[in-house]
Amino acid sequence: LLALQSLSTVVLDTYSGLLADNLLLALFLTMITGTSGNAGNQTSAVVIRGIATGDIQPRRHAWSVVKREIALAVPLAALLGLASFARVLVTAHG
């Protein structure tokens, strides 16, 4: 987690000029990172629970679990993207 946060700092530093020119982007970074963190935590929890209860056997079910999570993630990401876009339109003044 610390390594990924450090990578985020590098990415933000790389695009600091873009953020300076478009300050509105920076206002919504927490919404984007928070949502992605929550989605990752939820997926991890579901998979770990499945392994712990024996519902998922990593060597047998790896691809089916990946496919299932992708099938759930794509429509959910589209819905969250639309909701986030709507929030930006409603709350961004100017």
Side-chain angles (χ1 to χ4, degrees):
L1 190 57
L2 180 60
L4 292 176
Q5 286 290 31
S6 298
L7 182 62
S8 296
T9 302
V10 171
V11 170
L12 287 173
D13 188 44
T14 302
Y15 292 100
S16 62
L18 177 68
L19 288 172
D21 292 340
N22 301 285
L23 187 57
L24 191 60
L25 289 174
L27 299 176
F28 295 101
L29 281 176
T30 56
M31 177 180 64
I32 295 167
T33 57
T35 302
S36 62
N38 288 339
N41 287 340
Q42 181 66 31
T43 300
S44 297
V46 168
V47 171
I48 290 169
R49 183 183 178 282
I51 291 170
T53 60
D55 293 338
I56 297 174
Q57 296 174 4
R59 292 179 191 222
R60 279 171 97 191
H61 301 118
W63 283 114
S64 63
V65 171
V66 169
K67 285 190 253 183
R68 181 187 70 204
E69 291 301 320
I70 289 173
L72 291 169
V74 170
L76 185 57
L79 182 64
L80 286 172
L82 289 172
S84 298
F85 182 73
R87 178 182 174 232
V88 170
L89 285 177
V90 169
T91 61
H93 303 293

